[in-house]
Amino acid sequence: FYLTPPQVNSILKANEYSFKVPEFDGKNVSSVLGFDSNQLPANAPIEDRRSAATCLQTRGMLLGVFDGHAGCACAQAVSERLFYYIAVSLLPHETLLEIENAVESGRALLPILQWHKHPNDYFSKEASKLYFNSLRTYWQELIDLNSGETTDVKEALINAFKRLDNDISLEAQVGDPNSFLNYLVLRVAFSGATACVAHVDGVDLHIANTGDSRAMLGVQEEDGSWSAVNLSYDHNAQNEHEVERVKMEHPKSEEKSLVKQDRLLGLLMPFRAFGDVKFKWSIELQKRVVESGPDQLNDNEYTKFIPPNYHTPPYLTAEPEVIYHKLRPQDKFLVLATDGLWETMHRQDVARIVGEYLTGVHHQQPIAVGGYKVTLGQMHGLLTERRARISSVFEDQNAATHLIRHAVGNNEFGTVDHERLSKMLSLPEELARMYRDDITIIVVQFNSHVI
């Protein structure tokens, strides 16, 4: 199909969301000005999720992207639960006690998070009681463990990731008398999700990453140009340290079968993820849970098979790698995105496109025609087209949408080609997945004055 520009725009803008941090007395005291986010599905339903929330009992803002595999169930659960686990891990002992006493005596709870949600960002009502009970058990344990020390953010992030993954696993093992919930907790545990989460508090930026989504900082150099600083490392076969870590955790006899065709046990691309109990539970436990589970689970081929060379589980962890960065005035924005973006664009291009979009200053790149034989007529056409485009280059109201437009529509000259965009966006579902992945992006703009 040929899509008109308005049709392309309505597809690109369907999931966009923006949030501006409110100002007090005309002054914005936050180091975050606001954020733009958007998603473009390739899978139906989309397997990516995104979350953003302000922590109400501590200072700070949480933002995250979650990339699901083997379905969207795990990404969905992590997107609605992880921030509560992080917030609870960061709360001082007195606040935890207040919250527990309120639950105990049936009083209204202190709100912990203020969510910033798109209407399409769904929360599973049916599981909320189960999720709440697991979270409550966690904060009760934190109260009992109270050491009186203030919580280190890095430690809080690591504990929250590991604890949520543990709870996902436990809920699936225990099951639920309600058959709908029983099927839900099993779907969550047997599917998987990677997570890349930012916690911004004043000048303190922490990135907690599990898997292969990425965080990147956009820095404006003194001459006005843009550069990219990586704030996360992919946990996959391209990361030598990660391959070494996995090998260290298993006997030498398994060295050859651990990573095959760049995948964990020849099957899984990310080397860290939530859920994916097929790579964590013992074979006995997997069989017991699947056999006693609902019939729908038995019909699912994915739950039945055991990965090859499965001798010393767990092979997979949800423990995040946490990177700390102290914000500087030249740090203008942060991009969190699932691998669908990074497969199509280099971080340096991402930094330039977002930087130019946010400042409205469009540095003309010399037209690169590397290796192509270009006639003067074609060159003239390129330049005329480019001039026409500059007037409309910032038509997007949302930085994440602007980036998706480039990721999907860029041609070999690095400019958005409407025809290409139209073709890519009109591919039928079963074909779209062969050309690209789901793309989810959050662009956080920093407040240089405060920093």
Side-chain angles (χ1 to χ4, degrees):
F1 302 109
Y2 182 78
L3 303 175
T4 62
Q7 287 172 318
V8 163
N9 281 345
S10 71
I11 293 172
L12 288 179
K13 293 171 189 278
N15 297 310
E16 66 180 15
Y17 178 84
S18 291
F19 174 75
K20 295 281 169 276
V21 174
E23 297 194 2
F24 299 97
D25 308 329
K27 280 207 281 289
N28 181 339
V29 291
S30 167
S31 58
V32 174
L33 283 172
F35 69 85
D36 291 339
S37 78
N38 200 351
Q39 294 188 296
L40 183 68
N43 293 296
I46 185 169
E47 293 183 342
D48 280 5
R49 293 292 183 271
R50 57 179 165 181
S51 295
T54 303
C55 300
L56 295 172
Q57 306 304 327
T58 55
R59 299 199 325 254
M61 197 167 190
L62 285 165
L63 305 113
V65 295
F66 311 95
D67 186 351
H69 44 264
C72 58
C74 188
Q76 176 60 43
V78 174
S79 73
E80 54 184 284
R81 301 178 71 180
L82 180 59
F83 287 7
Y84 282 113
Y85 279 72
I86 294 172
V88 162
S89 308
L90 288 167
L91 288 178
H93 187 245
E94 307 75 72
T95 315
L96 287 175
L97 278 174
E98 266 176 67
I99 293 174
E100 176 55 31
N101 292 335
V103 178
E104 196 61 42
S105 56
R107 294 197 316 275
L109 278 185
L110 284 171
I112 299 177
L113 294 173
Q114 177 196 351
W115 290 92
H116 310 299
K117 300 178 71 57
H118 185 278
N120 295 358
D121 296 344
Y122 147 92
F123 258 48
S124 46
K125 305 266 187 300
E126 303 80 9
S128 59
K129 195 168 167 22
L130 169 78
Y131 290 172
F132 178 80
N133 290 338
S134 292
L135 182 68
R136 185 182 177 190
T137 305
Y138 179 41
W139 82 53
Q140 287 170 335
E141 285 175 29
L142 288 174
I143 290 171
D144 294 343
L145 287 170
N146 171 41
S147 55
E149 292 161 25
T150 50
T151 322
D152 172 57
V153 177
K154 179 175 179 174
E155 208 176 316
L157 288 163
I158 293 173
N159 292 344
F161 273 63
K162 285 163 73 174
R163 177 57 181 241
L164 172 57
D165 192 51
N166 200 42
D167 283 354
I168 285 172
S169 173
L170 215 57
E171 288 157 4
Q173 290 172 47
V174 172
D176 197 281
N178 169 333
S179 60
F180 173 82
L181 270 183
N182 195 26
Y183 185 44
L184 177 84
V185 295
L186 289 164
R187 274 183 37 226
V188 168
F190 277 94
S191 59
T194 68
C196 187
V197 170
H199 179 265
V200 194
D201 179 2
V203 294
D204 297 323
L205 170 62
H206 286 84
I207 301 290
N209 182 50
T210 287
D212 51 10
S213 292
R214 279 185 207 166
M216 182 214 90
L217 200 59
V219 180
Q220 190 163 29
E221 304 297 345
E222 284 183 358
D223 64 358
S225 65
W226 294 94
S227 64
V229 176
N230 265 356
L231 288 181
S232 67
Y233 299 103
D234 294 357
H235 299 133
N236 57 23
Q238 272 62 59
N239 180 338
E240 290 166 22
H241 295 293
E242 200 56 14
V243 175
E244 277 315 303
R245 176 188 66 79
V246 171
K247 286 181 176 169
M248 293 283 291
E249 289 172 5
H250 298 277
K252 200 127 181 72
S253 56
E254 291 185 58
E255 200 161 294
K256 288 201 166 47
S257 57
L258 280 171
V259 179
K260 277 193 158 164
Q261 290 159 323
D262 281 352
R263 291 168 182 253
L264 190 62
L265 297 182
L267 296 168
L268 196 62
M269 289 283 271
F271 284 17
R272 303 190 195 197
F274 283 91
D276 280 320
V277 293
K278 302 239 43 118
F279 296 87
K280 293 173 180 170
W281 288 356
S282 68
I283 293 176
E284 299 74 53
L285 179 57
Q286 290 189 39
K287 284 188 172 146
R288 181 172 67 74
V289 170
V290 172
E291 278 159 19
S292 62
D295 296 339
Q296 301 111 301
L297 203 66
N298 283 316
D299 305 339
N300 183 338
E301 286 307 307
Y302 180 68
T303 54
K304 275 210 194 110
F305 86 98
I306 300 290
N309 303 303
Y310 197 78
H311 309 296
T312 53
Y315 288 90
L316 191 64
T317 176
E319 180 170 335
E321 188 171 10
V322 179
I323 289 183
Y324 169 75
H325 177 82
K326 186 176 177 182
L327 290 171
R328 310 157 301 171
Q330 64 265 40
D331 300 332
K332 300 299 183 190
F333 60 88
L334 171 73
V335 177
L336 298 173
T338 53
D339 62 349
L341 173 70
W342 311 110
E343 283 165 5
T344 58
M345 287 187 88
H346 189 274
R347 63 174 184 268
Q348 203 45 56
D349 295 328
V350 170
R352 180 179 57 77
I353 287 165
V354 176
E356 290 179 356
Y357 171 84
L358 292 176
T359 54
V361 178
H362 194 60
H363 288 285
Q364 287 295 7
Q365 297 294 321
I367 285 192
V369 289
Y372 293 94
K373 285 204 162 59
V374 179
T375 65
L376 271 175
Q378 287 169 319
M379 189 51 126
H380 176 70
L382 275 173
L383 289 167
T384 328
E385 190 189 319
R386 170 151 114 171
R387 191 166 66 196
R389 213 178 33 250
I390 289 170
S391 52
S392 69
V393 75
F394 298 128
E395 65 196 39
D396 292 314
Q397 303 300 303
N398 178 303
T401 308
H402 187 66
L403 202 45
I404 289 175
R405 189 184 295 277
H406 277 271
V408 179
N410 267 2
N411 60 15
E412 61 272 34
F413 303 116
T415 57
V416 175
D417 176 344
H418 177 75
E419 200 166 314
R420 181 181 163 85
L421 204 50
S422 165
K423 280 180 186 160
M424 290 294 279
L425 294 179
S426 60
L427 288 172
E429 278 159 18
E430 57 280 7
L431 265 182
R433 191 59 197 85
M434 294 162 68
Y435 284 92
R436 58 181 179 81
D437 197 353
D438 297 329
I439 299 176
T440 298
I441 301 171
I442 301 178
V443 178
V444 186
Q445 201 176 348
F446 295 123
N447 188 343
S448 305
H449 302 301
V450 171
I451 293 168

